[in-house]
Amino acid sequence: MSGFRFPVGRLPDEALLSGLATGDPELALTFVRRFQHRVFGVAMAVTGDPQLAEDIAQQTFERAWRHAQIYDSRRGSVTTWLTTIAHNLAIDAVRARRTEPVAPEDLDALLGVVTETPERWALADEASSQLRAAVARLPREQARALVMAGVYGMTAQQVAEAEKIPLGTAKTRIRAATQKLRTALTSPKRGDHVE
């Protein structure tokens, strides 16, 4: 794939990803350079640890290389696909390091990571910003329950214990938050900017 008539850096993301899959060193290097800051930003926003974020960025590019052939542009852009890989790896790393559930009093700060941080800039993709905005609009107790269950993988029972609420209330908060997010993300933007 060498001998391009225009600079490799101007190739579309999908072409660079294809080059990564074929093992073309020039395209692979261009691909990594194009996305390295964004991928590191996502990992750093989630982990808060520069060394761990570097490791996650490396793992992200390795995974992209191994799975480039299964990328489907109908499901999102290369940027979305790659930052999702980085985000998932970072969440897994945080979960693996955390031996106990997050203290409820620390959860408000963690909700900030989901809504207003460098991750917001790194994940400039429209879908992720819609998700963050939808989570930010949830009632605080529902947002906390949703993040505990969805991001930290806690069961409804663990959420109930952490929040010191009945199990049924925890389940209701998780279910209500999930339904509100689904509605917010699948319906047209009614009332977001009423003029």
Side-chain angles (χ1 to χ4, degrees):
M1 285 185 76
S2 58
F4 290 106
R5 295 197 185 266
F6 55 94
V8 174
R10 295 182 60 197
L11 284 172
D13 296 345
E14 291 81 9
L16 289 178
L17 182 60
S18 295
L20 180 71
T22 62
D24 183 296
E26 184 179 12
L27 294 177
L29 181 60
T30 303
F31 181 84
V32 171
R33 284 185 176 159
R34 183 173 291 177
F35 294 104
Q36 66 187 0
H37 295 293
R38 185 169 291 154
V39 167
F40 178 79
V42 169
M44 187 64 191
V46 174
T47 66
D49 178 342
Q51 182 60 47
L52 183 57
E54 285 181 26
D55 293 343
I56 290 165
Q58 178 69 32
Q59 292 171 24
T60 300
F61 288 112
E62 289 172 6
R63 189 166 288 182
W65 171 67
R66 285 195 315 264
H67 299 290
Q69 69 280 0
I70 64 168
Y71 165 72
D72 182 358
S73 61
R74 295 173 296 183
R75 298 187 68 194
S77 69
V78 172
T79 302
T80 301
W81 180 70
L82 196 60
T83 54
T84 299
I85 292 171
H87 187 262
N88 290 342
L89 287 171
I91 292 295
D92 290 346
V94 168
R95 284 181 182 161
R97 283 187 166 192
R98 197 172 299 282
T99 57
E100 58 191 58
V102 177
E105 59 272 10
D106 296 335
L107 191 54
D108 287 330
L110 292 173
L111 281 172
V113 169
V114 177
T115 58
E116 298 291 334
T117 64
E119 182 180 24
R120 179 181 180 119
W121 307 317
L123 290 174
D125 177 80
E126 183 180 340
S128 63
S129 56
Q130 287 176 346
L131 177 61
R132 283 192 304 276
V135 170
R137 285 191 301 267
L138 290 173
R140 202 70 176 162
E141 60 277 353
Q142 289 179 4
R144 290 169 59 88
L146 180 72
V147 170
M148 285 178 173
V151 176
Y152 291 97
M154 295 171 70
T155 65
Q157 182 64 45
Q158 290 169 323
V159 171
E161 291 169 5
E163 295 287 280
K164 297 178 180 39
I165 56 175
L167 176 60
T169 302
K171 288 180 179 180
T172 299
R173 287 179 182 177
I174 295 166
R175 185 173 42 254
T178 303
Q179 289 171 344
K180 286 178 182 177
L181 278 182
R182 186 175 295 123
T183 300
L185 297 174
T186 58
S187 64
K189 294 183 180 181
R190 295 179 297 220
D192 280 355
H193 300 287
V194 177
E195 296 183 29

